[in-house]
Amino acid sequence: MRIQKIKNRGTLFTYTTSSGWDLNVHLIMSEKYNYIIDTGLGSLSINPIKEYIKDSNKPIIVINTHYHWDHIWGNGSLRNYIIISHKLCREMIESKWKDMMHKNKQYCYGEVEMNLPNLVFEKELYFPEDKIRIIYTPGHTIDSVSVIDEEEKVINVGDNIDEIIPSIYCEKDLYIDTLLKYRNMDFDTCISGHNVILGKEIIEKILSIL
């Protein structure tokens, strides 16, 4: 596991799986809450983050960027906290859980237990005291959301950016609309589920390829 600071209040925990691909779990320690963006492959993805913030007395808020197994299997280790997702994400976790477990159980990292998001939204949620905005940004999947730290101008786009262009499981036009939305946002640092830290110029690069 690698731990990397993101500006002043962000930290990126990067795990390398047995198959050699990287997976990021993003922590933002803000004024009122500690935000954990995605929960990885199980309890062992979450334990280092709990240890990292053990001296903080701020409540935890968890955000699932989309329903895919490698982003939600650690939810069970955070069942006492608010877990936010798009409304479609909760529905898709519940309907696809058994199939995802059957096909990918070799990647379980510690204990894995289904724990559904308990706060869902459709378009946007905003935490004004922390300047954290969560918005619906379909692309990689129809339920994808992005998290913007407006104070530090950092965005987490989940898997809407992969090595460059992700696999797209919804209409391509929806993904392009999301990229155009990103273009108009005020950020300079881009975090994604599996890539290294990138700058905003990656958005124009993807648009030019598409």
Side-chain angles (χ1 to χ4, degrees):
M1 180 187 68
R2 302 189 304 276
I3 301 176
Q4 183 176 2
K5 282 293 293 177
I6 311 296
K7 297 191 178 182
N8 293 313
R9 60 185 195 171
T11 307
L12 197 65
F13 297 77
T14 302
Y15 302 83
T16 301
T17 69
S18 56
S19 296
W21 46 271
D22 286 348
L23 178 64
N24 295 322
V25 179
H26 184 190
L27 169 70
I28 303 173
M29 300 181 71
S30 298
E31 185 67 26
K32 188 173 182 179
Y33 296 105
N34 292 325
Y35 299 85
I36 298 175
I37 305 171
D38 286 333
T39 63
L41 294 168
S43 60
L44 294 179
S45 297
I46 295 302
N47 289 347
I49 299 173
K50 287 183 173 178
E51 178 67 21
Y52 190 87
I53 61 176
K54 66 180 180 180
D55 295 326
S56 172
N57 58 4
K58 298 172 188 174
I60 292 172
I61 287 180
V62 183
I63 304 165
N64 292 153
T65 61
H66 61 295
Y67 77 91
H68 281 169
W69 51 277
D70 51 329
H71 297 260
I72 54 101
W73 272 357
N75 282 11
S77 296
L78 296 161
R79 61 173 47 258
N80 295 323
Y81 303 106
I82 292 172
I83 301 180
I84 297 171
S85 78
H86 191 268
K87 66 183 295 290
L88 293 175
C89 179
R90 178 189 165 101
E91 294 168 5
M92 295 170 85
I93 293 172
E94 190 167 25
S95 65
K96 296 178 182 294
W97 179 267
K98 289 182 179 179
D99 186 55
M100 291 192 294
M101 282 295 295
H102 176 71
K103 291 180 178 178
N104 303 288
K105 59 186 176 182
Q106 71 271 22
Y107 291 109
C108 289
Y109 192 43
E111 296 178 9
V112 174
E113 183 179 0
M114 185 168 70
N115 187 32
L116 297 171
N118 49 35
L119 176 59
V120 300
F121 71 100
E122 293 192 25
K123 293 184 178 180
E124 182 175 307
L125 283 177
Y126 188 53
F127 294 84
E129 292 157 303
D130 291 333
K131 296 183 179 178
I132 296 293
R133 190 178 301 274
I134 312 170
I135 59 171
Y136 178 46
T137 51
H140 173 60
T141 56
I142 193 62
D143 65 316
S144 292
V145 304
S146 298
V147 184
I148 306 103
D149 180 343
E150 294 183 338
E151 180 172 309
E152 299 214 314
K153 298 185 179 182
V154 175
I155 189 170
N156 187 312
V157 299
D159 281 1
N160 276 347
I161 295 173
D162 197 358
E163 294 199 359
I164 297 182
I165 300 176
S167 301
I168 300 172
Y169 300 100
C170 69
E171 294 180 14
K172 184 178 177 181
D173 286 349
L174 287 176
Y175 180 51
I176 292 174
D177 286 346
T178 286
L179 292 170
L180 293 173
K181 186 182 294 185
Y182 290 152
R183 174 194 270 171
N184 293 324
M185 292 178 184
D186 185 17
F187 67 90
D188 56 31
T189 303
C190 183
I191 308 298
S192 56
H194 303 282
N195 209 330
V196 297
I197 300 167
L198 298 165
K200 190 174 183 178
E201 65 276 1
I202 190 62
I203 304 302
E204 292 300 331
K205 184 174 183 180
I206 296 171
L207 282 166
S208 68
I209 294 171
L210 292 175

